[in-house]
Amino acid sequence: PALLQMSGSQPQVGRGAPCLRCRGLCPAFEPHPWRKICKSCKCSQEEHGLSSELEDDRKIGRLLSGSRHSTLTARIKGGDGARIYKRNRMIVTNPNISGKDPTFDTITYEWAPPGLTQKLAMQYMELVPKELQPVAGTEGALHRRRRLARQLPLHDQDPAQCHGLAEGEHKLMEEFVKKYKAEALGVGEVALPGQGGGGKEEEKPQDKSLDPGRAPESPNGTLESTATAGNYRCDSCQQALPGDCPVVYAERAGYSRQWHPACFVCCRCAEPLVDLIYFWKSGAAWCGRHYCESLRPRCAGCDEIIFSEDYQQVEGLAWHNKHFACLECETLLMGKPFTLAKASLLCTTCSQSR
């Protein structure tokens, strides 16, 4: 297996950082024992700053390892044996000839589709809304990392990160993760219309006959099909796809379907799928968060998937029995009066004091 040497130190953010939403009134993130929020201000850890890039790459590396996309991961030299995401960064250098002496402007994209020429990768980026382009130091890069935190929570794949699992449920979760890696997880490919999967437009076998350790290829060779450019349409918006503009393919959907880069979104939340990581179900692409929720309920208290068959439900929301508690005073509310406001439970005393 490949070795990846990480260079440079990664900034530690999140814990210890003041809350952005509270505008400095909450000086540091104080983790709640089981909720994914700050014990002090009740805001999420993301509001106190995102995790480091290294932590993000470790998380995606863990998700993709053991799947057909494991070639997008590598072992860290001298590491703990875990695999890390080989995130494809793209650095573009343009000459600036406006002054007397020519200089160079360098733009770094924190993520770009792998396996493409820079020209095709740049064409892809130009088809993504500017505010979402992951250029280092911009809102687009921040938006990508926020989507990563939201769409691919670590507690949806690592039982060690979960507080809601009862004895015996760790195995259920491990099987759940193993199953979605084999049957649903995918990473979109970028190529020109008609060239996804090597220009083969027939439906591919969906899952089980494919080698799980082999990542799909994204060749960008000559167009073998004799179809004209106007024959290709986006699976989402149904608009025509120009033959010289890159599109996104999802191997699990079959290569007869293709999307504009801006149209490859989660069918539930309509958010762009971060780094083209999707979960395929019922003929549509889902983000990781909403795919997991389509199979099992998610606890509105701890944000984890519920594997018990005995849980609380109120107005379409679910809670572990032990997490059916007041947000303010933590009193368990089983069999007691309560109010529900913006997915948060409150006992009658705390509700009246607000």
Side-chain angles (χ1 to χ4, degrees):
L3 297 176
L4 181 65
Q5 177 71 59
M6 298 300 293
S7 61
S9 59
Q10 295 288 338
Q12 293 302 311
V13 291
R15 300 187 189 281
C19 182
L20 301 174
R21 180 174 287 183
C22 297
R23 309 223 177 249
L25 295 177
C26 180
F29 180 74
E30 186 182 352
H32 187 278
W34 51 267
R35 300 182 193 270
K36 307 297 186 290
I37 60 173
C38 176
K39 191 175 179 181
S40 176
C41 68
K42 305 292 193 291
C43 293
S44 69
Q45 182 172 341
E46 283 70 46
E47 296 296 341
H48 285 263
L50 295 161
S51 55
S52 72
E53 284 191 9
L54 179 57
E55 288 173 316
D56 287 348
D57 289 345
R58 278 180 173 270
K59 178 172 76 171
I60 301 183
R62 181 187 176 95
L63 176 66
L64 299 181
S65 65
S67 77
R68 64 177 68 177
H69 301 286
S70 60
T71 53
L72 295 176
T73 70
R75 286 189 298 114
I76 306 177
K77 188 175 181 180
D80 54 9
R83 299 188 74 83
I84 194 166
Y85 180 38
K86 293 192 294 186
R87 176 161 45 94
N88 185 48
R89 298 172 182 83
M90 180 170 66
I91 300 173
V92 180
T93 304
N94 297 311
N96 182 353
I97 54 174
S98 58
K100 192 172 185 181
D101 297 317
T103 57
F104 295 92
D105 294 330
T106 300
I107 300 172
T108 300
Y109 291 86
E110 293 194 350
W111 172 85
L116 305 182
T117 63
Q118 189 172 95
K119 179 184 176 184
L120 197 60
M122 283 304 300
Q123 280 183 280
Y124 171 89
M125 286 300 175
E126 287 163 7
L127 293 170
V128 173
K130 190 164 182 61
E131 66 274 13
L132 298 181
Q133 293 175 14
V135 175
T138 68
E139 282 295 314
L142 184 62
H143 196 283
R144 171 192 166 267
R145 298 190 61 213
R146 284 188 175 277
R147 274 184 288 138
L148 196 156
R150 176 75 179 161
Q151 294 181 15
L152 303 172
L154 186 56
H155 49 270
D156 278 8
Q157 55 165 307
D158 184 1
Q161 302 297 319
C162 297
H163 301 282
L165 295 174
E167 189 176 346
E169 291 178 356
H170 282 74
K171 187 69 175 173
L172 289 175
M173 182 172 181
E174 286 171 1
E175 289 299 318
F176 179 79
V177 173
K178 186 177 178 181
K179 195 169 192 286
Y180 74 53
K181 285 190 182 187
E183 298 181 1
L185 176 63
V187 180
E189 307 168 37
V190 176
L192 294 175
Q195 295 183 29
K200 299 172 184 174
E201 296 192 58
E202 71 276 7
E203 287 289 326
K204 290 286 185 105
Q206 284 279 309
D207 290 317
K208 295 175 183 172
S209 62
L210 293 166
D211 178 2
R214 177 178 168 271
E217 298 171 1
S218 301
N220 298 301
T222 56
L223 185 62
E224 295 176 9
S225 170
T226 56
T228 59
N231 290 346
Y232 300 111
R233 293 194 175 275
C234 174
D235 196 73
S236 177
C237 70
Q238 297 301 313
Q239 295 299 307
L241 295 165
D244 59 351
C245 288
V247 294
V248 178
Y249 292 89
E251 182 189 23
R252 293 189 184 276
Y255 287 99
S256 62
R257 302 172 74 169
Q258 49 210 300
W259 289 262
H260 287 113
C263 290
F264 194 58
V265 300
C266 171
C267 67
R268 175 66 62 84
C269 63
E271 278 284 305
L273 292 160
V274 65
D275 293 12
L276 304 182
I277 298 170
Y278 69 91
F279 292 73
W280 192 256
K281 181 191 172 193
S282 303
W286 303 64
C287 70
R289 170 174 288 274
H290 290 116
Y291 171 80
C292 290
E293 289 177 14
S294 76
L295 301 176
R296 302 284 320 172
R298 185 182 295 279
C299 178
C302 70
D303 198 49
E304 295 167 14
I305 299 299
I306 299 174
F307 289 93
S308 169
E309 297 306 321
D310 183 19
Y311 57 91
Q312 300 301 305
Q313 272 191 301
V314 180
E315 295 182 13
L317 298 173
W319 286 262
H320 290 107
N321 289 339
K322 62 184 176 182
H323 293 160
F324 194 69
C326 176
L327 177 66
E328 296 294 342
C329 69
E330 303 291 354
T331 300
L332 281 175
L333 296 171
M334 301 270 284
K336 296 179 181 178
F338 62 86
T339 60
L340 181 63
K342 295 181 181 178
S344 296
L345 291 168
L346 294 171
C347 68
T348 50
T349 304
C350 291
S351 175
Q352 289 166 6
S353 66
R354 272 195 166 189

